[in-house]
């Protein structure tokens, strides 16, 4: 492929501007849209006059304004749906009719979690909700677990609009739900209150949902319904995280490995490698490869639960397939930029999804570091950590430097879990073979968890950190970009100082012994816990 056939690198700052604009946009449409139109007109004028630099800057400004306008439109639409459904109240109870979006997922306490779109009553039509069916008796579990995409059900439900909660403001609660393509949450007390009204039509999406449910049942048979290997492999293979217990998640978090529970680059990469291997041996032309590849990636995303990180990885692979079908070459960073920008244009609230932001940041850091280093494995781990550290510090208040080493050790073990677990899922029905594959999958999972526990036990390997200020984050990102674009002592020193401040900055308030203050007001209580940590 000739260099002049490569997609322009300006895609990266344009996409970055779009993402930043979408993250800042909220309830305004007209203003950002007008600014975006003016910037686009300026870009066209500069391009005609041969001023490429000014044209590129205007395109970047137009992309940021467009992102803000798209986010504002999505925010206002969601606001209207919620206002119409709740009428100013925070919670409502009503007899609902809803269309199921995916087979129910089992939780640690035996509850079932269902995503659905409300179709009645009329004032709630179109509201997307995550419903928890709290009590599912054993004799009724089969009926609930048999629900599939497209089924229409009815039940008495308590709906809750996004609102304030301890440590979370109303705006943040709305953003959190919107980032999952949801408007509200709901709770049904018992499965006895859920009635199936109609089965859904036969569609490809429903067929994939049946495969997903069958895979869950196969994992239950091979590993037990409530074991740790079943929970971890369910997250690795199917994107189901509801069965992962808090202890397992805490160990992986402290080891810097919690991202393994989200299906993303490694999982999608293995799928893409298998897909490319098969397509290269077919006689399909570039267009045929693009259509077949896009269809396979879409099916894969549907099978593993439509997670934000997996869509990012799949969109990046799709961007590469599209570029090659058009006879163009595309590098890793432009492919990532094109994929992330396209996803946020399609679903603007995705930019508020922590998994998506971490996936984009870590992948960008990984790709950028690999370009400048001969030691790819170490560079990939360091680049991903450096790029995602401000996001982790701001969102979770924790950083895990142990991840720099643990990820190098865990990557092959994670691959072994995926291969052996996938093989057990596919061939578990064969006598003898299924048991041997299940044993290998359990051994791989236990080895991964042992590695995580060892990494989590490293002194100083994980830290609770204060939420960084915007100035610190801006300085960190600026020095990091400067160190990558124009390496020099000054930029590296600046980034190192910002990294130290990020890890060892002002700690959360609290000294000496822990102290608990409880205010009991009858119908509820308030608890304040203050201590060294």
């Amino acid at each position: 492929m000739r260099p002049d056939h490569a997609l322009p690198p300006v895609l990266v700052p344009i996409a970055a501007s779009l993402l930043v604009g979408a993250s800042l946009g909220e309830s305004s449409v007209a203003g950002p849209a007008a600014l975006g139109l003016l910037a686009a007109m300026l870009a066209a004028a500069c391009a005609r006059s041969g001023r490429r630099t000014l044209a590129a800057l205007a395109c970047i400004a137009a992309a940021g304004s467009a992102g803000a306008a798209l986010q504002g439109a999505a925010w206002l639409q969601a606001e209207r749906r919620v206002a119409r459904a709740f009428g100013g109240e925070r919670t409502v109870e009503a007899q609902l009719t809803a269309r199921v979006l995916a087979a129910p997922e089992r939780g640690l306490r035996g509850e079932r979690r269902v995503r659905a779109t409300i179709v009645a009553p009329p004032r709630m039509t179109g509201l997307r909700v995550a419903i928890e069916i709290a009590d599912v008796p054993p004799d009724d579990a089969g009926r609930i677990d048999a629900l599939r995409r497209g089924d229409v059900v009815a039940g008495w439900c308590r709906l809750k609009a996004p609102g304030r909660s301890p440590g979370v403001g109303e705006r943040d609660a709305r953003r959190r739900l919107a980032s999952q393509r949801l408007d509200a949450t709901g709770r049904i007390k018992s499965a006895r209150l859920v009635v199936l009204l109609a089965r859904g039509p036969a569609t490809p999406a429903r067929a994939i949902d049946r495969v997903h449910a069958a895979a869950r049942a196969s994992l239950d048979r091979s590993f037990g319904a409530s074991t740790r290997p079943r929970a971890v492999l369910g997250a690795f293979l199917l994107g189901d995280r509801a069965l992962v217990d808090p202890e397992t998640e805490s160990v992986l978090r402290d080891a810097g490995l919690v991202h393994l529970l989200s299906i993303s680059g490694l999982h999608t990469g293995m799928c893409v490698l298998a897909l490319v291997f098969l397509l290269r041996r077919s006689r399909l032309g570039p267009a045929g490869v693009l259509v077949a590849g896009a269809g396979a990636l879409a099916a894969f995303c549907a099978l593993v639960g439509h997670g934000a990180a997996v869509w990012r990885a799949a969109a990046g692979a799709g961007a590469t397939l599209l570029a090659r079908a058009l006879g163009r070459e595309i590098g890793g960073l432009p492919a990532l930029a094109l994929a992330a920008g396209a996803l946020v244009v399609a679903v603007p609230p995705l930019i508020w999804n922590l998994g998506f932001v971490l996936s984009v940041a870590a992948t960008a850091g990984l790709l950028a570091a690999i370009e400048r280093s001969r030691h790819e494995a170490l560079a990939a781990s360091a680049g991903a950590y450096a790029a995602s550290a401000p996001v982790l510090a701001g969102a979770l208040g924790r950083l895990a430097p142990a991840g720099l080493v643990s990820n190098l050790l865990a990557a092959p073990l994670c691959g072994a879990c995926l291969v052996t677990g996938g093989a057990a899922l596919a061939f578990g029905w064969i006598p003898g073979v299924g048991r041997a594959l299940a044993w290998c999958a359990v051994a791989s999972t236990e080895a991964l968890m042992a590695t995580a526990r060892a990494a989590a036990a490293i002194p100083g390997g994980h830290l609770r950190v204060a939420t960084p200020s915007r100035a610190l984050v801006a300085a960190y990102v600026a020095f990091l970009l400067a160190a990558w674009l124009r390496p020099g002592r000054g930029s590296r020193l600046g980034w190192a100082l910002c990294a130290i401040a990020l890890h060892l900055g002002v700690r959360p308030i609290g000294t000496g012994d822990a102290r608990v203050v409880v205010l009991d007001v009858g119908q509820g209580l308030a608890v304040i816990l203050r201590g060294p940590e």
Side-chain angles (χ1 to χ4, degrees):
M1 199 74 67
R2 295 199 312 270
D4 57 342
H5 281 188
L7 292 179
V10 75
L11 276 177
V12 176
I14 288 176
S17 178
L18 175 71
L19 299 183
V20 171
S23 68
L24 298 176
E26 195 161 285
S27 57
S28 177
V29 179
L35 289 175
L37 181 60
L38 288 174
M41 294 171 61
L42 177 60
C46 291
R48 282 196 300 269
S49 62
R51 300 177 180 178
R52 293 186 177 182
T53 302
L54 288 177
L57 291 175
C59 284
I60 293 171
S65 299
L70 290 169
Q71 190 68 267
W75 180 273
L76 291 175
Q77 289 175 1
E79 195 173 54
R80 293 189 191 102
R81 289 194 299 270
V82 171
R84 186 175 67 247
F86 289 88
E89 299 293 330
R90 185 176 177 183
T91 59
V92 296
E93 295 191 13
Q95 179 72 16
L96 302 179
T97 302
R99 180 171 287 105
V100 175
L101 296 175
E105 183 180 358
R106 188 176 81 251
L108 282 171
R109 301 182 304 278
E111 76 279 9
R112 300 300 191 271
R113 302 175 182 181
V114 185
R115 293 170 69 98
T117 301
I118 297 177
V119 296
R123 76 176 191 278
M124 296 183 179
T125 300
L127 204 69
R128 294 174 65 97
V129 294
I131 299 175
E132 177 186 292
I133 305 175
D135 180 30
V136 183
D139 62 338
D140 208 22
R143 182 177 66 88
I144 298 300
D145 290 337
L147 294 176
R148 298 290 181 266
R149 182 182 178 91
D151 290 346
V152 179
V153 297
W156 186 263
C157 181
R158 180 182 177 88
L159 282 179
K160 182 179 179 181
R164 293 177 59 86
S165 61
V168 180
E170 182 176 347
R171 185 181 67 175
D172 291 335
R174 286 188 57 190
R175 286 184 169 187
R176 196 171 291 178
L177 273 181
S179 72
Q180 304 171 52
R181 294 183 295 168
L182 294 171
D183 298 311
T185 56
R187 187 176 187 271
I188 297 178
K189 291 182 179 179
S190 171
R192 311 285 192 197
L193 300 175
V194 180
V195 179
L196 176 64
L197 299 181
R199 288 290 181 191
T203 62
R206 183 178 175 88
I208 292 173
D209 199 34
R210 285 200 298 268
V211 173
H212 192 127
R216 287 172 174 166
S218 179
L219 288 177
D220 288 344
R221 289 191 299 270
S222 298
F223 303 99
S226 57
T227 63
R228 176 173 290 176
R230 160 65 179 91
V232 174
L233 290 171
F236 279 5
L237 297 170
L238 302 174
D240 296 344
R241 294 185 61 170
L243 289 176
V244 179
D245 61 275
E247 181 186 354
T248 298
E249 190 154 358
S250 176
V251 168
L252 291 172
R253 180 199 63 201
D254 292 343
L257 298 173
V258 73
H259 61 89
L260 296 179
L261 294 177
S262 298
I263 295 178
S264 57
L266 177 62
H267 312 68
T268 310
M270 295 179 68
C271 175
V272 169
L273 286 175
L275 176 64
V276 170
F277 177 81
L278 294 174
L279 290 178
R280 281 183 175 176
R281 279 151 183 79
S282 69
R283 296 183 178 180
L284 297 173
V289 170
L290 173 62
V291 172
L297 287 171
F300 172 75
C301 291
L303 179 63
V304 298
H306 295 290
V310 73
W311 274 114
R312 191 278 309 158
T320 301
L321 290 175
L322 176 61
R324 291 183 177 176
L326 297 174
R328 298 272 180 171
E329 188 60 62
I330 185 170
L333 285 173
L336 173 65
L338 186 60
L343 288 173
V344 169
V345 167
V347 186
L350 197 61
I351 192 61
W352 296 328
N353 186 292
L354 180 59
F356 176 78
V357 174
L358 283 174
S359 179
V360 171
T363 306
L366 180 153
L367 293 171
I370 287 178
E371 286 184 2
R372 302 292 176 87
S373 175
R374 297 178 181 177
H375 307 285
E376 290 191 359
L378 183 59
S381 181
Y385 181 80
S388 59
V391 182
L392 289 168
L396 304 180
R398 287 182 178 272
L399 289 172
L404 291 169
V405 176
S406 63
N407 276 281
L408 298 177
L409 301 175
L413 293 174
C414 183
C417 290
L418 291 173
V419 172
T420 56
L425 195 59
F427 305 109
W429 55 275
I430 302 176
V433 175
R435 180 172 295 182
L437 290 172
W439 184 89
C440 292
V442 170
S444 300
T445 304
E446 293 300 334
L448 177 65
M449 291 305 302
T451 301
R453 284 190 288 271
I458 297 175
H462 60 91
L463 308 167
R464 277 195 80 229
V465 298
T467 301
S469 65
R470 293 182 179 179
L472 176 58
V473 172
Y476 181 98
V477 173
F479 280 119
L480 184 61
L481 287 174
W484 177 64
L485 293 172
R486 292 186 177 180
R489 291 184 180 179
S491 57
R492 290 173 178 171
L493 176 60
W495 173 78
L497 292 175
C498 289
I500 292 172
L502 194 70
H503 286 76
L504 304 177
V506 179
R507 294 181 59 80
I509 297 174
T511 57
D513 296 334
R515 183 184 181 204
V516 178
V517 179
V518 179
L519 175 63
D520 189 351
V521 293
Q523 295 298 320
L525 52 81
V527 180
I528 300 175
L529 172 62
R530 297 185 66 174
E533 296 297 325

